[in-house]
Amino acid sequence: MGRKSLPTISELIHLLEKQVDRIEQTLEFRLKEVVEKPFTTSTGLTLSTVEELLSFCLYHEGMHFATIKSFKRIIRNERMNNVH
């Protein structure tokens, strides 16, 4: 079984730039569609439609983004404190 090579940064950028278009094309007329198996979050919120799931994904990714920004700020502050 061979190993697959990792995508290059430029390939990742290209895929991410086109991601919104792919999502819109795939889900354009399906947002109100009820999913076969609803998903319940750890806080008890049940997501039953494509639109609810997509909205939650955006919210969830925003939480990751905020965490990454916090880590970057902590690291930057630690580096600045260690320089002096």
Side-chain angles (χ1 to χ4, degrees):
M1 181 160 53
R3 292 183 121 187
K4 289 187 176 185
S5 62
L6 296 174
T8 65
I9 295 295
S10 61
E11 289 172 328
L12 288 174
I13 290 170
H14 175 74
L15 289 170
L16 288 171
E17 288 175 342
K18 300 296 179 189
Q19 186 172 9
V20 172
D21 293 335
R22 287 192 310 275
I23 291 171
E24 284 178 348
Q25 288 173 359
T26 303
L27 302 177
E28 183 177 8
F29 300 108
R30 299 182 66 196
L31 292 178
K32 302 297 182 192
E33 186 176 310
V34 176
V35 296
E36 186 176 316
K37 185 176 178 187
F39 176 77
T40 301
T41 68
S42 61
T43 60
L45 177 65
T46 299
L47 309 168
S48 303
T49 66
V50 171
E51 183 176 37
E52 290 171 347
L53 289 163
L54 189 56
S55 294
F56 180 78
C57 286
L58 293 172
Y59 163 77
H60 187 78
E61 289 304 312
M63 290 176 50
H64 287 292
F65 182 74
T67 301
I68 291 167
K69 280 181 59 177
S70 294
F71 285 153
K72 285 178 69 175
R73 187 181 65 248
I74 291 167
I75 291 167
R76 183 180 62 244
N77 290 342
E78 283 297 317
R79 286 181 178 163
M80 289 175 58
N81 290 337
N82 290 332
V83 169
H84 295 65

